[in-house]
């Protein structure tokens, strides 16, 4: 951006997303928040805020199932253990929740792999449109050293969320989508050739592709999704003695690094 463009934005903001006219009204994407959007449930409104349009109640209900299906109140799993640790050291709920959510966007689990899974299905769909076979596309991805996000699961061979999600997809009219069918074609291939299982990220991403979300929209939609499982973990740890969430004695730490040194040398 050159300096002339910066001058144009100095001291004022130009936006199309909305405005709070305090004491009068609040506008979001051209709609009055308190009088035209008041019928929406919170997640439905969140979708509208991100997309700039109403995707319909069935889409909102389907995304709600993503959140419900991954709301695990287990403090031993990510990112819940971070929220529990935050409660154990007596920080505030907001800081605890944000700390937990921040690690849910890792390179090998959570939000970023889910977005990469969505990108995978969009690229696979284009490949098939151009006459290629899905098996060839998968093998090419493997040959390039790329991870097939959505296939394989640490610590478990199956994913209990898949059946739940597929039942909901059928209920809300998304069970026959092109990308969802593709997800299972990929599974059949990677299971027979590489021994990979399927996890819910593949199902979620395929459904998201069928619903037409961009990768950025999808990441925004998913970002707060684990907070329902984190909140009870924070609260439970805070109700216990301070510092008692998985404490480790110094002598229990296994260390193979450099030994004690004299810093004066």
């Amino acid at each position: 951006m050159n300096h002339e463009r910066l001058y144009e934005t100095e001291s004022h903001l130009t936006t199309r997303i909305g405005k709070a006219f305090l004491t009068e009204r609040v506008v979001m994407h051209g709609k009055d928040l308190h009088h035209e959007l008041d019928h929406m449930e919170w997640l439905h409104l969140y979708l509208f805020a991100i997309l700039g349009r109403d995707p319909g109640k069935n889409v909102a209900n389907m995304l709600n199932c993503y959140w419900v299906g991954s709301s695990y109140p287990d403090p031993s799993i990510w990112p819940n253990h971070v929220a529990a640790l935050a409660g154990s050291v007596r920080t505030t709920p907001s800081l605890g929740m944000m700390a937990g959510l921040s690690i849910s966007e890792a390179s090998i689990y959570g939000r970023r792999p889910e977005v990469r899974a969505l990108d995978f299905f969009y690229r696979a769909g284009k490949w098939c449109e151009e006459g290629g076979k899905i098996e060839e596309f998968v093998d090419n991805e493997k040959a390039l050293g790329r991870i097939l996000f959505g296939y394989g699961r640490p610590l478990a061979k199956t994913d209990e969320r898949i059946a739940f999600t597929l039942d909901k997809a059928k209920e809300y009219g998304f069970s026959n989508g092109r990308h969802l069918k593709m997800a299972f074609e990929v599974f059949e291939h990677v299971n027979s050739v590489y021994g990979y299982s399927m996890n819910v990220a593949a199902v979620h991403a395929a459904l998201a592709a069928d619903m037409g979300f961009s990768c950025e929209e999808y990441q925004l939609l998913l970002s707060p999704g684990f907070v329902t499982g984190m909140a009870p973990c924070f609260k439970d740890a805070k109700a216990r003695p301070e510092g008692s969430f998985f404490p480790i004695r110094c002598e229990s730490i296994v260390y193979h690094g450099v030994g004690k040194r004299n810093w004066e040398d």
Side-chain angles (χ1 to χ4, degrees):
M1 181 182 290
N2 59 42
H3 65 281
E4 295 295 336
R5 294 293 300 277
L6 289 176
Y7 291 150
E8 293 173 7
T9 60
E10 185 179 14
S11 301
H12 73 279
L13 174 67
T14 301
T15 177
R16 293 180 179 274
I17 61 172
K19 175 68 178 175
F21 300 93
L22 300 183
T23 75
E24 183 184 346
R25 70 188 191 281
V26 178
V27 178
M28 177 187 289
H29 297 304
K31 300 287 187 180
D32 188 302
L33 178 66
H34 299 129
H35 299 286
E36 294 180 276
L37 303 176
D38 56 302
H39 64 285
M40 289 185 174
E41 296 180 352
W42 184 87
L43 182 56
H44 196 162
L45 179 66
Y46 185 55
L47 288 167
F48 177 77
I50 292 169
L51 302 175
R53 58 181 174 81
D54 184 355
K57 193 163 182 63
N58 279 356
V59 171
N61 286 338
M62 192 69 247
L63 263 293
N64 183 69
C65 295
Y66 286 30
W67 286 30
V68 170
S70 294
S71 295
Y72 288 20
D74 181 347
S76 69
I77 61 176
W78 62 268
N80 298 356
H81 66 277
V82 174
L85 181 62
S88 187
V89 300
R90 304 299 189 259
T91 190
T92 66
S94 294
L95 289 175
M97 297 300 97
M98 292 306 102
L101 286 178
S102 69
I103 72 153
S104 70
E105 196 171 67
S107 297
I108 61 173
Y109 62 76
R111 308 291 73 133
R112 281 196 281 180
E114 288 166 330
V115 171
R116 289 171 181 166
L118 177 58
D119 175 71
F120 168 86
F121 284 118
Y122 279 138
R123 289 187 295 108
K126 184 177 179 181
W127 173 278
C128 294
E129 287 172 359
E130 295 173 351
K133 294 183 178 180
I134 188 63
E135 294 83 3
E136 297 171 343
F137 182 80
V138 171
D139 292 339
N140 285 342
E141 292 286 292
K142 287 287 293 179
L144 292 170
R146 293 173 178 166
I147 297 174
L148 302 177
F149 291 105
Y151 298 93
R153 188 187 188 193
L155 307 179
K157 292 184 177 181
T158 59
D159 193 324
E160 62 282 353
R161 294 167 291 182
I162 291 177
F164 163 80
T165 304
L166 293 176
D167 285 344
K168 294 300 181 181
K170 185 175 182 179
E171 180 179 348
Y172 297 124
F174 298 106
S175 60
N176 294 314
R178 172 193 177 209
H179 294 93
L180 184 59
K181 292 179 180 178
M182 186 183 298
F184 283 92
E185 291 173 358
V186 172
F187 168 63
E188 290 179 6
H189 180 63
V190 298
N191 182 254
S192 63
V193 177
Y194 307 107
Y196 290 176
S197 61
M198 175 190 276
N199 66 62
V200 80
V203 176
H204 281 175
L207 286 166
D210 288 333
M211 289 185 281
F213 297 133
S214 71
C215 288
E216 183 178 63
E217 290 167 346
Y218 189 49
Q219 192 164 18
L220 285 167
L221 293 170
L222 293 181
S223 288
F226 295 124
V227 73
T228 306
M230 291 161 47
C233 297
F234 174 91
K235 187 176 180 181
D236 180 64
K238 193 168 183 179
R240 299 175 185 275
E242 185 173 355
S244 65
F245 180 69
F246 286 155
I248 301 176
R249 300 186 187 194
C250 291
E251 56 265 30
S252 297
I253 298 174
V254 177
Y255 177 68
H256 298 292
V258 178
K260 291 183 178 180
R261 289 162 288 174
N262 186 340
W263 291 102
E264 296 178 359
D265 292 343

